[in-house]
Amino acid sequence: MTAELVRGQNHALPHTRLEIRVTAGAPVLACATLADDQGAVAGPEWVVHPGSPRLPGIEVSRQAAAALRFHVDLGALPGQVHLVHVLLALPEGTAGPGRFGATAAPFAAVTATDGTEIATFTLTGLDTESAVVALELYRRQGAWKVRAVGQGYAGGLAALFADQGLPEAAGFAAGVQEAVARHLAGAVQAPLTGTTGTTGPTGTTGATGAQDGARARSEGRRPAAAPGESAAPGAGAGAGGAGGAVNYTHPGRRTAAPPTPPPAASPTPPGEPPRPVAGDATGWSMDERLYNQVWGMFEDLARTVAAYRSAMDFAESRLDQELDRALSDPRQRIGGAGDAARAEARARHDRLAAQAREVLDRDLAQLAAESEVVEPALPPAYARWDSPVWHAYRVPMEIPMALRLGDVHLPERPDLRIPMLVRLPLERGLWIDSGRSGSDAALMTDDAQLRAAAVDTAVTLAARLLAVYPPGEFTVQVIDPAGSAAVPLAPLAMSGALDRPPAAGAAGVSDVLARLTQRVDLVQMALRGGAAESLPPDLDTAEQLLIVNDFPHGFDDRAVTQLRYLADEGPAVGVHLLMVANREDASAYGPVLDPLWRSLLRISPVPDDHLADPWVGHAWTYEPPVVPPGSQVLRQVLDRVAESRRTGGR
């Protein structure tokens, strides 16, 4: 029976291997401090945090998330550790809330590794605090217990660490926040759910994982909202403008609960996995249902693999412990008893591993079957370039909900690829990394090929954005200071999809940045003053995408400052960056450009396992969108876009 704790209450822990599962109304970061029998934390080396996520016996997530886990093995903690403080904090320097009182109360559940809840605690009563000691695990007379604490700190992590006696607490806290910011730049942001407490599959080895996820979607338990934003009307940028002349919120967002999908024509017999159906999720339209279904598959795969990895870790840990016990027993060091004990331990390990793999294979098969049904049903904005849907492409009259930036997959099933969908309008810029500091694929590609592949990726993404917006509602501008990308940019330039040729040289860089900076300033002032209708009649209010190639070549200090301004302020008023750059080329600027890189979502022109999911923090391999060799689909789509722009959509 689960113990529902209140502040100060404790509860015995029946297991040494535990998970602490935290859910919150906004992304939080996880830390833990280890203390001795006097409650003293020896130093920073006894703190586990996103920048140093593992210590013997405990592991935390590398990134901030609204749902995260602590993995704890009390038996593996150093012998001098008698107390573990479980800490939560809000990330600094993000668009999220700055205090716990501005979001839903965090909830912590201490569970066994099979998901069975032991104790829960809801951290109510927090207000101005931005860091909190949620729980403490402590050893008393050889037995471990958990205590609900809920002690908050308005001074954030710095105040919390100082209270625990850490030297230079402010600097250490700043380092933790910096580590979270670095990982945030590589995290895929999940849509917020509208149903409290519904997080999809449990991720345990005893759960049905993907099958439960499919049932959850078919039962309407996965409502949608934009990533990182509220579904309330006018929540997007520009909603405050009077007169409605400029409104950058998505026109299809609604406030009422979306309808559940219709029941399948032939119900699934009891005991059998649900038959996959395209659009088997909640939503007002088929596009919204497919979007929610894809995100549901993404979450199901993340949790299914997390359950498998946790089960394998348990099997390995149990094998190590049993082998250690066999070696430490003098009676089993000689003769056949020791060999028999070791053989039995390995047999148990193999049985546990086989059971975990069986569950994983079953869930992966279900997800693969769902993917085979969903992929052909995706509309152009969500579809691969080799999809037949592009052969019947017509310029749309409405903005879609989302855009496919590529695919992601995990090593347990590389052929099971999940579309990487991001909501429109884009909420952060994109950075296509043309450097060789990432994956093995990048290291095996020479610089020239990598830079060309990066520009090709930028062109395919720009073409897709142009293709999914109505005529005249999206414009692409290009900065190519040295003209080095003339060949890969040719499909955009020759089709007429660009309003003007790519800007070259320092003068061209300065001109484009000055115009876009002025546009951002004017739209911001109009919206803040409630006078959107007073914008100059010659101002292009269409969404703007600025492709910047070969940064920082051709950029002086003023241009760099303007670019940072566009990255920070542009998305809220319809100006978006698509950077093609090698960070090493801009190393002379030092930390000045760190906020720029963090503000952009990094993607790669070759496969790279740098993206993290928002649920368990797996490292996902991203693969960019690729036009099939010899295909003319990209040119045909751009020709239709250009023709529609010339004719005004007629």
Side-chain angles (χ1 to χ4, degrees), residues 344-406:
E344 184 179 354
R346 292 190 177 94
R348 272 194 294 269
H349 168 272
D350 292 344
R351 286 196 298 272
L352 289 173
Q355 291 170 0
R357 188 72 212 190
E358 181 182 0
V359 173
L360 176 69
D361 288 342
R362 180 195 64 201
D363 287 351
L364 291 181
Q366 178 69 17
L367 282 167
E370 188 172 8
S371 177
E372 290 174 359
V373 171
V374 170
E375 188 69 53
L378 297 178
Y382 306 170
R384 295 194 302 249
W385 282 111
D386 61 356
S387 171
V389 73
W390 289 106
H391 298 305
Y393 167 74
R394 294 291 182 271
V395 178
M397 292 295 106
E398 293 184 354
I399 303 172
M401 289 187 60
L403 184 84
R404 186 174 190 158
L405 291 185

Side-chain angles (χ1 to χ4, degrees), residues 123-456:
L123 284 75
T124 57
L126 298 175
D127 187 10
T128 60
E129 298 89 345
S130 59
V132 62
V133 179
L135 302 168
E136 61 181 25
L137 313 178
Y138 64 97
R139 180 161 50 187
R140 186 69 54 80
Q141 296 178 345
W144 284 92
K145 295 184 178 182
V146 58
R147 176 182 287 119
V149 181
Q151 174 63 53
Y153 294 82
L157 274 178
L160 191 158
F161 287 148
D163 191 43
Q164 297 204 354
L166 283 175
E168 300 181 2
F172 185 71
V176 173
Q177 293 285 0
E178 174 65 20
V180 173
R182 286 197 303 270
H183 286 283
L184 183 62
V188 183
Q189 203 169 11
L192 298 177
T193 58
T195 304
T196 303
T198 300
T199 58
T202 63
T204 65
T205 56
T208 56
Q211 297 176 14
D212 284 352
R215 288 194 178 96
R217 291 194 290 280
S218 67
E219 293 166 6
R221 291 191 279 120
R222 210 181 281 279
E229 67 185 8
S230 165
V246 180
N247 188 341
Y248 293 107
T249 59
H250 192 283
R253 291 176 187 160
R254 312 203 186 188
T255 58
T260 57
S266 54
T268 303
E272 293 187 13
R275 297 190 182 99
V277 178
D280 194 10
T282 58
W284 289 97
S285 64
M286 179 56 75
D287 284 4
E288 187 174 358
R289 290 176 182 174
L290 288 168
Y291 170 81
N292 291 338
Q293 187 171 15
V294 168
W295 268 96
M297 293 164 59
F298 188 13
E299 181 180 356
D300 289 346
L301 181 55
R303 296 190 184 278
T304 293
V305 170
Y308 169 72
R309 293 179 181 178
S310 178
M312 292 301 296
D313 287 345
F314 172 73
E316 294 290 342
S317 175
R318 179 171 177 174
L319 175 62
D320 291 342
Q321 292 174 6
E322 291 181 347
L323 291 178
D324 288 343
R325 283 197 295 269
L327 290 172
S328 63
D329 188 347
R331 295 168 299 178
Q332 295 184 353
R333 291 178 184 170
I334 58 175
D339 292 338
R342 288 189 288 272
E344 184 179 354
R346 292 190 177 94
R348 272 194 294 269
H349 168 272
D350 292 344
R351 286 196 298 272
L352 289 173
Q355 291 170 0
R357 188 72 212 190
E358 181 182 0
V359 173
L360 176 69
D361 288 342
R362 180 195 64 201
D363 287 351
L364 291 181
Q366 178 69 17
L367 282 167
E370 188 172 8
S371 177
E372 290 174 359
V373 171
V374 170
E375 188 69 53
L378 297 178
Y382 306 170
R384 295 194 302 249
W385 282 111
D386 61 356
S387 171
V389 73
W390 289 106
H391 298 305
Y393 167 74
R394 294 291 182 271
V395 178
M397 292 295 106
E398 293 184 354
I399 303 172
M401 289 187 60
L403 184 84
R404 186 174 190 158
L405 291 185
D407 296 335
V408 292
H409 62 82
L410 290 172
E412 281 77 4
R413 184 72 184 267
D415 62 322
L416 179 53
R417 300 183 179 185
I418 305 296
M420 180 180 168
L421 303 182
V422 297
R423 288 294 291 259
L424 293 178
L426 295 173
E427 296 179 343
R428 61 193 294 197
L430 304 174
W431 164 31
I432 303 175
D433 189 355
S434 59
R436 301 180 64 191
S437 59
S439 65
D440 292 340
L443 293 173
M444 295 172 62
T445 308
D446 67 45
D447 288 340
Q449 290 178 320
L450 200 58
R451 291 177 187 271
V455 180
D456 286 339

Side-chain angles (χ1 to χ4, degrees), residues 442-482:
L443 293 173
M444 295 172 62
T445 308
D446 67 45
D447 288 340
Q449 290 178 320
L450 200 58
R451 291 177 187 271
V455 180
D456 286 339
T457 302
V459 169
T460 58
L461 292 176
R464 184 178 287 264
L465 281 162
L466 284 165
V468 302
Y469 270 79
E473 294 193 21
F474 197 85
T475 300
V476 176
Q477 302 190 48
V478 179
I479 290 178
D480 185 21

Side-chain angles (χ1 to χ4, degrees), residues 458-548:
V459 169
T460 58
L461 292 176
R464 184 178 287 264
L465 281 162
L466 284 165
V468 302
Y469 270 79
E473 294 193 21
F474 197 85
T475 300
V476 176
Q477 302 190 48
V478 179
I479 290 178
D480 185 21
S484 59
V487 173
L489 286 171
L492 288 175
M494 294 176 62
S495 67
L498 300 179
D499 282 352
R500 61 191 72 200
V509 171
S510 177
D511 177 63
V512 172
L513 293 177
R515 283 189 287 103
L516 289 178
T517 300
Q518 182 186 44
R519 180 194 183 282
V520 170
D521 289 340
L522 289 173
V523 175
Q524 279 187 338
M525 288 188 292
L527 294 176
R528 289 170 182 166
E533 72 282 357
S534 64
L535 287 167
D538 60 341
L539 182 72
D540 183 6
T541 58
E543 298 271 325
Q544 306 279 325
L545 178 70
L546 174 60
I547 301 177
V548 179

